[in-house]
Every structure is written in C-alpha cells, then in structure tokens.
Amino acid sequence: MWLRKSMTTMLMVLSFITTLGSSLYIYFTPHSTESLSARLFAFFLFAFSTGLGFGPLLRVISIINPETIPTALLGAAVIFVSFSLASLFTRKRYYLYLGALLMSAMSMLATFSFVNLFMRSPAIYQAELYIGLMLFCGFVVFDTQMIVEKRKCGDTDFIWHTLDLFVDFVELFRHLLIILNSKRPQVTPVENAPADEALMQRTCSVDGLSPCLSVNTVGV
C-alpha cells in the first residue's frame, strides 16, 4: 500500500513537471516553420504526460465505478462542443471580457485547493469540483472567442490554440469524472473499498493542482 502511494505521488510529480515544462516551451518559443517540429513534439509530450498523470485516477475509478469513465467522456464532449458552438455563433465578442473574472476565480480556486491539501475538508473539496467545472465551461467560451479574434489579427499559432482547448476539455473530463463517481453507488468489494477511496482522494487532491491551471494562466 505504501509503495503504491509512493508510485502514485511520483507519477503525479513527473506529470506535473513534464506538462509544465512542455507548455512553457511552446509558449516561449515563437511560432515559425523552423520551430514547428519541436513545438509539435512538445505538444504531444504535453498530451502524453497529461494522460500519464490521469493514470492513477482512471485506474482507481475503473475499479470503483468503471461506467463513469465513458459517461464523463461523453458529457465532457457534449459540454465542450455546445459551449464552443455557442461562442462561435455569437456575433458580439463580449465573452472576451470574462478573461479577468475567470482568471481571478481560478487563482482563488487554486489557493483553496492548496490549503485544502492540509485541511482535508470534504465540503471545500466538493465546492472546488463544481466551481471548477463551471469555470472551465466559461474557459471554453472565452478561449474559443479569443482564438477567433487572434486569428483575425493574424495569429496563426495553431499549436498554442490547440493546447488551450485541449486543457479545457481535459479539465471538463476530470471534474465530471470525479463528480459522477461521487454520485454513483460503488461496486468495489467491501474489503478493497477503503484503500481505493483513499487512493482516489489522494490522486484527486494532487491532480487538482495540475499544470493545466498554469497553462490557462499563461495563455490569457
């Protein structure tokens, strides 16, 4: 049990460092023909390390409630497409003004997430999940309109634009996955349930401070 927790923590830390490093490389490297291959590699590395960081959470949920994984994936896809289309078909770009509000709310949420690593309050944790889900719904709208406006101004950095939307989708999926799992009856054998629940809470708490938040902070 101790070894499994240590491996989970190491995996999350490795995922954090890799995703943060690759996203910063993409952001600070100018978009050009010469840097295209390196930036594409950094993007795929970011996607791979993000999936690697999801591994412990998905493994635990596949044991406790495996049916929540496709449900959360479908729900995230529906939310993402719906909010993206709503943003695209809105002629007025007043959603761009949501940027400051969303970033302020995200900064506060990240602070509460960090504090709750020590407090371990279930109420704060549940509030973080639902508020985080609403925030990333807003980010889908904001990022979509921002990408459209940047393209109109001549910004052709499709790699960073893709990274923005990828982060939004991943965070929608993660929040929905945890919320749905907490609402459904568990199918885990009784003797394994306490250990699996503890590991999931540990994984979710660490994952709550994922570099996906940092990527949105840099990208605005």
Side-chain angles (χ1 to χ4, degrees):
M1 183 64 184
W2 177 85
L3 180 61
R4 187 169 66 173
K5 287 184 177 181
S6 300
M7 291 181 62
T8 299
T9 303
M10 290 178 60
L11 189 63
M12 298 302 299
V13 172
L14 178 62
S15 172
F16 179 89
I17 295 174
T18 307
T19 50
L20 184 60
S22 56
S23 62
L24 289 176
Y25 175 82
I26 295 173
Y27 181 76
F28 287 109
T29 304
H31 175 67
S32 63
T33 306
E34 293 76 14
S35 63
L36 181 61
S37 298
R39 296 177 85 241
L40 277 174
F41 176 79
F43 172 76
F44 288 120
L45 181 62
F46 178 91
F48 174 78
S49 57
T50 300
L52 191 68
F54 255 99
L57 176 62
L58 290 176
R59 185 185 67 81
V60 174
I61 292 182
S62 66
I63 297 173
I64 298 176
N65 277 320
E67 69 274 10
T68 58
I69 297 177
T71 303
L73 184 62
L74 179 61
V78 170
I79 293 174
F80 183 85
V81 172
S82 300
F83 278 86
S84 293
L85 290 177
S87 178
L88 287 173
F89 286 106
T90 301
R91 294 184 178 180
K92 295 182 179 180
R93 300 301 176 190
Y94 51 80
Y95 289 125
L96 294 175
Y97 297 102
L98 289 175
L101 178 62
L102 289 172
M103 290 311 307
S104 298
M106 178 170 289
S107 299
M108 295 178 61
L109 189 65
T111 302
F112 282 117
S113 297
F114 180 76
V115 172
N116 202 40
L117 286 176
F118 305 98
M119 294 179 59
R120 300 288 183 178
S121 171
I124 295 178
Y125 179 70
Q126 289 294 323
E128 290 171 4
L129 288 177
Y130 288 97
I131 295 174
L133 179 62
M134 291 187 291
L135 279 179
F136 279 99
C137 288
F139 266 113
V140 172
V141 176
F142 171 76
D143 286 336
T144 302
Q145 287 202 346
M146 180 64 74
I147 290 171
V148 171
E149 290 302 309
K150 285 182 177 180
R151 184 62 185 88
K152 289 181 179 179
C153 295
D155 186 352
T156 59
D157 189 0
F158 65 92
I159 297 178
W160 184 258
H161 299 165
T162 305
L163 185 65
D164 269 340
L165 295 178
F166 175 76
V167 167
D168 294 338
F169 180 81
V170 166
E171 286 299 307
L172 285 175
F173 173 60
R174 184 177 71 86
H175 283 81
L176 277 177
L177 187 62
I178 300 173
I179 290 172
L180 290 176
N181 184 74
S182 65
K183 296 297 182 182
R184 292 197 175 190
Q186 296 182 0
V187 296
T188 311
V190 175
E191 61 271 15
N192 295 332
D196 290 328
E197 286 183 5
L199 181 58
M200 186 183 72
Q201 290 180 359
R202 180 184 179 89
T203 304
C204 295
S205 298
V206 176
D207 195 38
L209 295 175
S210 66
C212 293
L213 301 180
S214 302
V215 171
N216 268 302
T217 304
V218 173
V220 173

